[in-house]
Amino acid sequence: MRLAKNRADADYIFEAGSLEETEMLAAYLARRSKAGTVIALDGDLGAGKTAFSQLFAKHLQVRDTVNSPTFTLIKEYEGRLKLYHMDVYRLSLEEADELGLDEYFYGEGVSLVEWASIIEEILPPELLEIYIETESAATRKFYLIGHGQPYEAWVHSLRENGVMLHE
């Protein structure tokens, strides 16, 4: 894996011209998530990683306010599934390994990891990689790469059918 370095290798590119369109993608992915789902988010500062995470959490039926876990590293939320929202921006790989972050990846919930490329070596081999790029004040491009099942199937479905509000 080469997280956040391979946008040219994206299996699917989703362009969102608004927060509502970003929400469509977040909802699509939340509906498919199950225990052990891992989503690796990367992108520049201000690209929308936390906004995507909030929308994803909403569609995972999390009722609490989801905000950036930058200073707490991991926040757990209850929803249809547990949500482990991580921000590893301030961590070294060694610190992440010592904290046992990898245990969350195989837990009972969904792991959503902001700045995932920092801890690439301890991420599971099967995950959904999303790189968010700012196109304009309102427009974002989401580069998706599925590593293993079910993520490859999700991306294939997106490529074939696009994001649908209701399925």
Side-chain angles (χ1 to χ4, degrees):
M1 244 185 314
R2 301 178 335 264
L3 294 182
K5 299 170 189 77
N6 52 2
R7 283 173 272 169
D9 296 335
D11 297 322
Y12 178 70
I13 300 171
F14 178 75
E15 189 165 329
S18 66
L19 203 53
E20 292 77 20
E21 290 178 359
T22 296
E23 185 169 0
M24 290 170 57
L25 177 62
Y28 176 91
L29 297 173
R31 281 193 301 272
R32 283 155 181 74
S33 293
K34 60 184 185 352
T37 294
V38 177
I39 298 177
L41 291 175
D42 274 292
D44 294 332
L45 275 171
K49 293 177 292 298
T50 299
F52 175 86
S53 298
Q54 291 167 334
L55 295 167
F56 180 88
K58 172 184 172 184
H59 289 277
L60 206 59
Q61 299 162 3
V62 169
R63 299 211 186 290
D64 293 332
T65 300
V66 174
N67 49 32
S68 177
T70 299
F71 296 103
T72 54
L73 306 176
I74 304 167
K75 289 190 176 179
E76 290 186 34
Y77 300 95
E78 294 293 329
R80 178 176 64 80
L81 296 164
K82 286 186 182 199
L83 174 62
Y84 309 121
H85 185 203
M86 304 175 194
D87 184 327
V88 298
Y89 183 72
R90 300 187 189 296
L91 278 185
S92 68
L93 177 61
E94 295 77 26
E95 290 168 325
D97 197 30
E98 287 171 15
L99 286 171
L101 293 186
D102 55 331
E103 292 177 25
Y104 287 92
F105 306 142
Y106 304 99
E108 298 175 10
V110 177
S111 297
L112 197 57
V113 186
E114 296 188 29
W115 301 101
S117 60
I118 292 171
I119 62 165
E120 181 174 354
E121 289 84 355
I122 65 169
L123 290 170
E126 295 186 354
L127 55 75
L128 179 65
E129 175 183 353
I130 302 175
Y131 187 91
I132 306 172
E133 183 176 83
T134 304
E135 289 286 296
S136 70
T139 305
R140 301 291 186 268
K141 274 191 180 173
F142 294 80
Y143 297 84
L144 284 77
I145 301 174
H147 298 277
Q149 290 298 331
Y151 312 105
E152 291 171 3
W154 295 0
V155 173
H156 176 77
S157 177
L158 282 166
R159 198 172 46 245
E160 295 295 313
N161 306 309
V163 176
M164 296 176 281
L165 273 179
H166 304 287
E167 300 167 46

